[in-house]
Amino acid sequence: GWSKIGNDLHSIYFFAAFGDGVAYSTCVLGCRLLGRKNATFFYFGVVIVMNMLAMLDVKFTDTWSLEHLVSIIGNIGASSAFIMMWLYTGELAPTSHGA
């Protein structure tokens, strides 16, 4: 969860914002390389793998563990998957509902 992404409130918000920025950047790359549908499945797969890796008890230092690292990467995957769903919502809506 959020408590595993950093050590204090400031680092948690920093890593969450950093993850969102990376997510926006990777969505463009993912769409171009994989296509929208495959990129969405890829990002969902990243989230699933990161959740499984977060269960391992591996310490890098006294304050950082594998759980911290995969929480940050999982945040990027979850944000990217959300962005891809947001893109699909606009495409699936009828054109009569557009602005």
Side-chain angles (χ1 to χ4, degrees):
W2 284 95
S3 64
K4 299 300 180 189
I5 212 169
N7 295 328
D8 60 359
L9 189 62
H10 300 292
S11 65
I12 291 170
Y13 279 118
F14 170 78
F15 286 125
F18 175 76
D20 286 342
V22 172
Y24 291 127
S25 302
T26 61
C27 276
V28 174
L29 185 64
C31 282
R32 288 186 185 211
L33 294 177
L34 302 173
R36 289 188 181 189
K37 184 168 75 170
N38 291 333
T40 303
F41 288 134
F42 172 75
Y43 293 127
F44 281 132
V46 167
V47 172
I48 291 168
V49 170
M50 292 306 124
N51 280 327
M52 288 190 286
L53 288 175
M55 293 182 222
L56 300 175
D57 189 25
V58 177
K59 297 271 187 192
F60 297 131
T61 65
D62 291 338
T63 56
W64 280 90
S65 66
L66 180 65
E67 191 174 8
H68 285 90
L69 180 65
V70 297
S71 293
I72 294 169
I73 297 170
N75 180 29
I76 294 169
S79 296
S80 298
F82 178 77
I83 293 166
M84 297 304 293
M85 289 295 105
W86 184 76
L87 286 172
Y88 268 124
T89 303
E91 287 182 358
L92 296 176
T95 56
S96 62
H97 296 345

